[in-house]
Amino acid sequence: MTSAQAFEQTTKHSREQTVTQLIKLLVAIIPNYDETFWNVDTELFGAIAEFDSMALVTLIGEIEESFDIDLDDDDISAENFASVASLTELVLEHS
């Protein structure tokens, strides 16, 4: 295995772990939807009525605590919270 292949495999594993952890947080914050509802393509902001400002604030706090990262005010945008995929990218950028 080349170093590029090893890096790609590690990155894929990290991305999958991040998605799994984010879905667990979303299930805890928005319990109306179980784990089978959520996937990397699930739209969030503007698509799920329960994903309101309180859920957003709670999710931000949980993300910062769970992933040991600090999100800046500039990170809090509809674009970054549009889907599980965009949220995963945000977390990985700060990890």
Side-chain angles (χ1 to χ4, degrees), residues 1 5 10 22 26 32 43-46 50 54 72-73 78 82 89 94-95:
M1 178 182 295
Q5 289 172 324
T10 301
L22 285 170
L26 287 163
N32 297 357
E43 294 182 10
L44 300 172
F45 195 73
E50 294 86 353
M54 288 302 296
D72 299 323
D73 290 343
E89 292 305 315
H94 286 278
S95 295

Side-chain angles (χ1 to χ4, degrees), residues 23-56:
I23 288 173
K24 286 180 182 180
L25 293 176
L26 287 163
V27 169
I29 294 167
I30 308 172
N32 297 357
Y33 302 94
D34 65 14
E35 284 191 38
T36 61
F37 171 82
W38 303 99
N39 63 67
V40 73
D41 297 320
T42 304
E43 294 182 10
L44 300 172
F45 195 73
I48 299 175
E50 294 86 353
F51 195 70
D52 58 10
S53 59
M54 288 302 296
L56 180 62

Side-chain angles (χ1 to χ4, degrees), residues 49-68:
E50 294 86 353
F51 195 70
D52 58 10
S53 59
M54 288 302 296
L56 180 62
V57 169
T58 302
L59 181 59
I60 291 166
E62 291 295 327
I63 287 172
E64 289 181 331
E65 185 176 320
S66 295
F67 294 97
D68 194 29

Side-chain angles (χ1 to χ4, degrees), residues 66-85:
S66 295
F67 294 97
D68 194 29
I69 60 175
D70 290 318
L71 298 177
D72 299 323
D73 290 343
D74 293 340
D75 295 322
I76 314 306
S77 67
E79 180 180 292
N80 286 335
F81 287 81
S83 67
V84 174

